Amino acid sequence: MIEICGVSKSYNRGQVKAVDDVSLTVQDGEIFGFLGPNGAGKTTLIKMITGILNADRGSIKINGRDIKDSPLEAKMQFSFVPDDPNIFSRLTGIEYLNFMADVYQVSSEIRVERIQKLLERFEMSTAAADLIQSYSHGMKQKIVVIGALLHNPPVWILDEPMTGLDPRSSYDLKEMMREHADAGKTVFFSTHVLEVAEKVCDRLAIINKGRMIFCGSLEEIRTHARENRSLENLFLELTENA
Ligand SMILES: Nc1ncnc2c1ncn2[C@@H]1O[C@H](COP(=O)(O)OP(=O)(O)OP(=O)(O)O)[C@@H](O)[C@H]1O
């Protein structure tokens, strides 16, 4: 569960209000999509949830652990896939995965099996011996996803996770997100791809210019807009009129 309460963040000494008084709760057992156009504040909010940035105001708890007051406990509750997969390019894939397993204290017996399974699922078994700097964008994205899932945390937080993935890997990741949520755990991800949100999310929030303008299920969003139009139309209408 992720509890976000009255969170705000500005840049440039208050001149750019990136996130403005956002409150929402992501329940166990759901895939929650965070949707917004470019510059809406998605990455800023995700950086605050994951403790990369401090909020100016408000509080964020992950499974009851406050990210500001108990950062280590809170960080053990989640895995994070950032939108930029440029990491440790001088390591091989398998070195990177072992490094991530060390950081999250995954025992050697467990890690061998998990690494093997995840590498197979993302068709990365052969490439794992190669340097990350030789990978395509999609392969880097896949190795970051595998590294993030190794310690099997209850909460998954993913920033634009489908970007750069081929259709097969994108499908597999969506399936894994569903399995994770169906096991009673939490998935929170940002996207500006409406189709992904439409297909995958149990609930979603729409953010524009830092403010949350809608939070609910797809059905609720459609009722909210009175007519049964595509999410794309509703999204454009909501963000343009906000
Ligand atoms: N380090 C920074 N310094 C100043 N302004 C910033 C900084 N990071 C983001 N911003 C601004 O804050 C606002 C929100 O940016 P953010 O990156 O959170 O949006 P986003 O929804 O993730 O966008 P995108 O989909 O394009 O990645 C934008 O106006 C952006 O220009």
Side-chain angles (χ1 to χ4, degrees):
M1 185 191 228
I2 305 172
E3 295 161 278
I4 298 167
C5 189
V7 165
S8 298
K9 177 79 189 173
S10 298
Y11 295 110
N12 296 346
R13 293 186 189 147
Q15 284 176 36
V16 181
K17 228 172 191 188
V19 172
D20 189 2
D21 195 21
V22 167
S23 296
L24 60 93
T25 300
V26 184
Q27 303 288 350
D28 293 341
E30 72 177 352
I31 302 179
F32 192 98
F34 196 51
L35 202 65
N38 291 129
K42 304 181 294 295
T43 298
T44 301
L45 184 67
I46 284 187
K47 282 183 175 168
M48 290 190 283
I49 298 173
T50 52
I52 296 167
L53 282 177
N54 286 327
D56 295 339
R57 269 200 309 280
S59 70
I60 297 171
K61 285 183 185 164
I62 297 144
N63 283 345
R65 281 79 163 181
D66 192 291
I67 191 69
K68 195 164 152 230
D69 299 340
S70 314
L72 278 181
E73 280 123 319
K75 285 176 187 179
M76 288 308 277
Q77 296 300 310
F78 67 82
S79 61
F80 173 48
V81 177
D83 61 346
D84 177 3
N86 286 322
I87 33 88
F88 302 117
S89 58
R90 290 179 189 217
L91 297 182
T92 63
I94 194 73
E95 284 170 346
Y96 172 71
L97 296 180
N98 275 305
F99 166 74
M100 290 299 282
D102 286 342
V103 168
Y104 285 100
Q105 298 161 5
V106 183
S107 71
S108 21
E109 305 86 65
I110 293 175
R111 79 172 67 174
V112 170
E113 195 194 326
R114 281 208 194 134
I115 288 176
Q116 194 191 345
K117 264 196 194 153
L118 286 164
L119 285 173
E120 279 169 16
R121 194 146 184 187
F122 284 101
E123 297 178 332
M124 286 288 288
S125 304
T126 312
D130 299 332
L131 286 176
I132 291 174
Q133 64 190 17
S134 70
Y135 288 2
S136 68
H137 178 86
M139 290 163 80
K140 285 180 187 163
Q141 183 76 352
K142 288 199 246 184
I143 211 79
V144 170
V145 169
I146 295 170
L149 303 187
L150 272 183
H151 69 119
N152 199 21
V155 177
W156 291 1
I157 299 168
L158 310 100
D159 196 0
E160 300 278 359
M162 312 303 170
T163 309
L165 291 186
D166 55 42
R168 175 82 240 171
S169 306
S170 176
Y171 175 84
D172 282 340
L173 182 58
K174 283 184 251 174
E175 287 280 290
M176 289 165 74
M177 287 158 73
R178 185 75 270 160
E179 285 165 23
H180 197 67
D182 287 350
K185 297 174 181 170
T186 311
V187 180
F188 179 90
F189 77 104
S190 77
T191 184
H192 54 255
V193 183
L194 298 165
E195 269 178 79
V196 172
E198 205 157 14
K199 282 194 187 129
V200 180
C201 300
D202 299 310
R203 283 196 309 139
L204 50 88
I206 296 179
I207 184 173
N208 192 33
K209 296 174 194 157
R211 291 194 74 89
M212 202 172 71
I213 53 178
F214 177 83
C215 180
S217 66
L218 270 177
E219 250 138 73
E220 284 165 341
I221 190 174
R222 290 195 169 115
T223 312
H224 175 82
R226 294 183 311 277
E227 290 171 38
N228 210 8
R229 282 164 291 160
S230 74
L231 182 59
E232 189 174 21
N233 282 337
L234 296 179
F235 176 76
L236 288 174
E237 187 184 298
L238 284 168
T239 51
E240 275 163 14
N241 294 339

